[in-house]
Amino acid sequence: MKIEAKNQKLENSKCDALIVNLFEGVTTLSGSTGAVDEALGGLVKNIVKEEGFKGKLGSTLVIRTNGAIPAKKVIVVGLGKKDKFDIVALRKAISASLKCAKREKAKTISSIVEAAKASDLSSTDIGQAIGEISHLGLYSFDKYKSKEKDAPKTEIQSITVIENDSKKIKDLTAGIKRGVAIANAQILARDLVSEPALAATPTRLANVAREVAKKNGLKIKVLDRAACKKLGMGAYLAVSQGSEEPPKFIEIKYTPKGKAKKHIAIIGKGVTFDSGGLSLKPAGSMETMKDDMSGAAAVIGTMSLMKEIQPKVAITMIVAATENMPSGTAIRPGDVVKAMNGKTIEILNTDAEGRVTLADAVSYIVRQKPNEIIDLATLTGACVVALGDTACGVMTNNQAFAERVIKAGNETGERMWQLPLFDEDREKLKSDIADMINTGSKGKSGAQNGAVFIEQYVNDIPWVHIDIAGPSWIDKENEWGPKGPTGVGVRTLINYLTNYA
Ligand code: BES
Ligand code: MN
Ligand code: ZN
């Protein structure tokens, strides 16, 4: 798909679908929408009236032009109430209009962005939204569908963004470029999560990480079971011991040109399939557990953009990839294991495995003394209960740091909501025979129990834990894409690393 910003008379734009827009409750068509209406002899105005089109956010109306202008069809998209129009509304309008164009089998699209200009959005932000939504909103994963592969599919080939202020074309173009790049990084994450656990094994994750590192000129290290054992990663290896799939501990390093402002560690939970282990999950809960490496997918996706975005901070990415399986060699409830930093863990529930893998991932990175640690993990069902698939749960030992991450996330449309960590919840980690248990109080504060466990390993380094268990998988399509894996976290990390770090 080619997206370009151009100075063009929109009535003259030759395309399959020309997208114009209308605010809710507006009846006089002005500006570009008005110009198109005029060129069509008042057709738009008439059909809007006849069809009772109200301009509700995301609603669409298709008008055939019958050769009156070079565009074959005009799509009117509703922008919602003018005083409520913002970047979120803009993204929804872009998504709705492109999905409509796709339904209409349009290959070439032209669109105005005038309405967006009526708000205080910058041309760069508008461009970024177009770049992101055009790729993410129309995403589908049909690699394994034999039928649809054969059927010829109409794909949108080009989007021309019409802008008559030539000074703004530069900003729009830069925004589009950034948006498309970010979308592609998130698509890499989405593809990895969508891939069944049969294919997306720890070994496969390591291979994809190698490709990403190579393409971006980054250093990569992949530790196998023996190397991890040597380092004393008894916690991570305990999780992997029930599986036939070998674990892979993956580390990628990015160093900026010139002096790094700071060193940031980004860690992603990489459980490629979570059966629960001997504390086996019920069948229904297991159906989506190929997504338990969404954190890993997000950090790998983020690293795939390093060459393009060149952050001014040093970044170390860590993924302790493994499966969590039940077998004769699996870890048992009641077993005690030792993490790399010497702390012992009584495994009461083998389904609370993510935090156990993270104990070693965090212990490993702490030795390098990073300035900040961010971990992304599909850690708890409790967080899904609390925030649904709408928002990620954020927990921290450093409020100011968390606030910057939350802001970075919310700006990109990845909703972040903080949950508190209290000493009372830390108390619940006490074990009768080891340094800590891997659960907490049953059925209470589940998301925080996971966080205070990880906190035991961060050694007071500023740390933000993002529980992405909810938003990593959505049940209903939205402007960002179809139901299923979302690749959540990529946009937050990119925004944080480039603008807030
Ligand atoms: N991977 C799951 C968490 C999860 C649940 C992710 C639903 C996505 C959707 C995690 O490993 C897990 O099983 N957590 C347990 C912890 C409990 C045993 C203390 C949970 O949340 O039930
Ligand atoms: Mn689990
Ligand atoms: Zn898990």
Side-chain angles (χ1 to χ4, degrees), residues 234-236 238-239 276 278-279 324 330-338 344-353 355-357 431 433-434 436-439 453:
Y236 164 51
V239 174
L278 289 178
S279 312
N324 184 26
I331 187 91
R332 293 151 287 250
D335 280 352
V336 174
V337 301
K338 194 192 269 184
T344 57
I345 307 161
E346 185 185 4
I347 307 285
L348 289 184
N349 190 319
T350 65
D351 196 13
E353 85 297 341
R355 63 199 73 180
V356 180
T357 66
S431 159
I433 65 165
M436 69 194 80
I437 54 173
N438 76 327
T439 51
F453 180 94

Side-chain angles (χ1 to χ4, degrees), residues 362-436:
V362 172
S363 298
Y364 178 89
I365 197 67
V366 158
R367 287 199 184 169
Q368 298 179 18
K369 299 195 169 65
N371 302 97
E372 293 171 356
I373 300 173
I374 302 176
D375 82 76
L376 287 96
T378 44
L379 208 73
T380 67
C383 203
V384 189
V385 173
L387 303 171
D389 57 18
T390 311
C392 305
V394 175
M395 287 148 270
T396 188
N397 63 358
N398 186 307
Q399 190 57 27
F401 177 26
E403 277 167 19
R404 282 185 286 128
V405 174
I406 290 170
K407 187 150 189 284
N410 286 332
E411 245 174 41
T412 66
E414 294 185 328
R415 283 212 165 84
M416 302 282 156
W417 197 260
Q418 190 173 1
L419 299 172
L421 300 182
F422 294 120
D423 281 341
E424 286 81 348
D425 297 319
R426 294 183 177 100
E427 286 292 313
K428 294 172 195 153
L429 284 176
K430 285 213 170 103
S431 159
D432 292 336
I433 65 165
D435 296 336
M436 69 194 80

Side-chain angles (χ1 to χ4, degrees), residues 211-218 303-308:
E211 283 165 32
V212 163
K214 196 168 172 202
K215 275 196 193 139
N216 285 270
L218 309 171
M303 296 315 280
S304 78
L305 260 192
M306 287 301 125
K307 200 168 175 184
E308 169 96 23

